[in-house]
Amino acid sequence: MHTVYLSLGTNLGDKEANLTLAIKEIERRIGTIGAQSAFISTEPWGFVSENSFLNAAVRVVTALSPEELLQETQQIERFMGRTQKSNGGQYHDRVIDIDILLYDDLSLSTPTLTIPHPLMNERDFVLIPLKEILE
């Protein structure tokens, strides 16, 4: 079993309901949630939007490999209505975003996945919830 930390964010629709549904889907599809941060409101990062974000982090115990975990998080995003991922640093409004922050003590860099998340230390909306639940 592996311990993973995920970051969640939403800035469209019923934000609290979006995060709550994403967390339920993570528990259903990925593994047992051992800790969940509070929801925090933040300003958009990397793009201009009139919509503020609601962010959170979760600690999950999973049997999934890193690539399987990525596939499941992306399936949850699609299930919740996200049709477009950020591309080439072009960010946009989104109903849900789930990022893999940490996976055990693994360092991984592939064309589709980098662990630890390469930008997490630049983002307070990631670090504040993450610090709340770190073991």
Side-chain angles (χ1 to χ4, degrees), residues 47-119:
F47 73 108
V48 175
S49 174
E50 295 178 5
N51 303 311
S52 65
F53 274 81
L54 199 60
N55 296 94
V58 293
R59 181 177 68 237
V60 185
V61 175
T62 186
L64 299 178
S65 71
E67 285 295 332
E68 291 169 330
L69 178 60
L70 177 63
Q71 290 172 7
E72 286 297 328
T73 59
Q74 290 176 343
Q75 286 180 4
I76 293 168
E77 290 175 343
R78 285 190 295 275
F79 167 75
M80 292 184 61
R82 185 167 184 187
T83 58
Q84 182 180 11
K85 289 293 281 182
S86 301
N87 190 358
Q90 296 297 315
Y91 299 108
H92 50 82
D93 292 326
R94 62 209 73 159
V95 68
I96 194 68
D97 182 41
I98 305 171
D99 288 333
I100 302 168
L101 302 177
L102 301 166
Y103 183 105
D104 292 334
D105 59 357
L106 180 69
S107 289
L108 175 72
S109 183
T110 72
T112 58
L113 181 59
T114 302
I115 301 172
H117 191 287
L119 298 175

Side-chain angles (χ1 to χ4, degrees), residues 1-8 19 22-28 30-39 55-63 69 73 98-105 126 128-135:
M1 297 303 283
H2 307 281
T3 300
V4 300
Y5 292 85
L6 305 175
S7 175
L8 297 87
L19 288 183
I23 291 166
K24 286 179 182 174
E25 287 298 311
I26 288 167
E27 184 124 61
R28 187 172 77 79
I30 294 173
T32 303
I33 294 178
Q36 172 188 322
S37 74
F39 295 170
N55 296 94
V58 293
R59 181 177 68 237
V60 185
V61 175
T62 186
L69 178 60
T73 59
I98 305 171
D99 288 333
I100 302 168
L101 302 177
L102 301 166
Y103 183 105
D104 292 334
D105 59 357
V126 171
I128 292 168
L130 178 62
K131 286 178 183 178
E132 183 181 331
I133 62 168
L134 274 173
E135 289 187 312

